[in-house]
C-alpha cells in the first residue's frame, strides 16, 4: 500500500461526501486506502459513508474523542507507506 489517507469528521456530511469523491478520483493509479474517523456525528455522516463509499475504512466513535486522538485512531489502522492527514472540507485535484 502506497498511501493511507486519514480524514477526521464531525458533523460535516456534505463536505465529507465531496472530499471522498475527489480523493477517490485522485487516487486512481496508485494503491491507497481512505480511513474516515467519525467523532460521533449526528448528521448522517456515518450512514452516508457506509452507503456511498463501502471501500472506505470507517471508524465510528461512540463519543467525540477529539481531533488528535481521532487522527491517532486512523493512523493505527493505516497500512500505507505514507500517511496523508486530510480535513473533510478539502477537495483534491484529480491530477
Amino acid at each position: 500500500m502506497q498511501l493511507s489517507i486519514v480524514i477526521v469528521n464531525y458533523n460535516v456530511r456534505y463536505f465529507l461526501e465531496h472530499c471522498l469523491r475527489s480523493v477517490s478520483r485522485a487516487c486512481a493509479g496508485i494503491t491507497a486506502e481512505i480511513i474516515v474517523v467519525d467523532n460521533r456525528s449526528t448528521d448522517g455522516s456515518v450512514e452516508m459513508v457506509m452507503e456511498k463509499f463501502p471501500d472506505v475504512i470507517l471508524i465510528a466513535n461512540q463519543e467525540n474523542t477529539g481531533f488528535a486522538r481521532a487522527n491517532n485512531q486512523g493512523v493505527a489502522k493505516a497500512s500505507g507507506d505514507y500517511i496523508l492527514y486530510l480535513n473533510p472540507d478539502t477537495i483534491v485535484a484529480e491530477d
Side-chain angles (χ1 to χ4, degrees), residues 15-86:
F15 294 114
L16 178 62
E17 182 174 352
H18 289 282
C19 177
L20 290 173
R21 287 192 194 289
S22 73
V23 168
S24 296
R25 286 190 295 266
C27 287
I30 65 169
T31 56
E33 64 185 355
I34 304 169
I35 303 165
V36 171
V37 183
D38 185 82
N39 264 337
R40 198 160 184 355
S41 294
T42 58
D43 65 350
S45 292
V46 169
E47 294 80 8
M48 181 274 298
V49 172
M50 290 189 302
E51 178 184 322
K52 295 184 178 184
F53 302 94
D55 293 335
V56 167
I57 299 167
L58 176 64
I59 301 169
N61 287 331
Q62 296 304 305
E63 63 180 326
N64 187 334
T65 61
F67 184 71
R69 184 174 289 172
N71 273 309
N72 288 337
Q73 286 178 285
V75 169
K77 290 280 187 188
S79 60
D81 294 329
Y82 300 96
I83 304 291
L84 171 64
Y85 295 103
L86 199 60

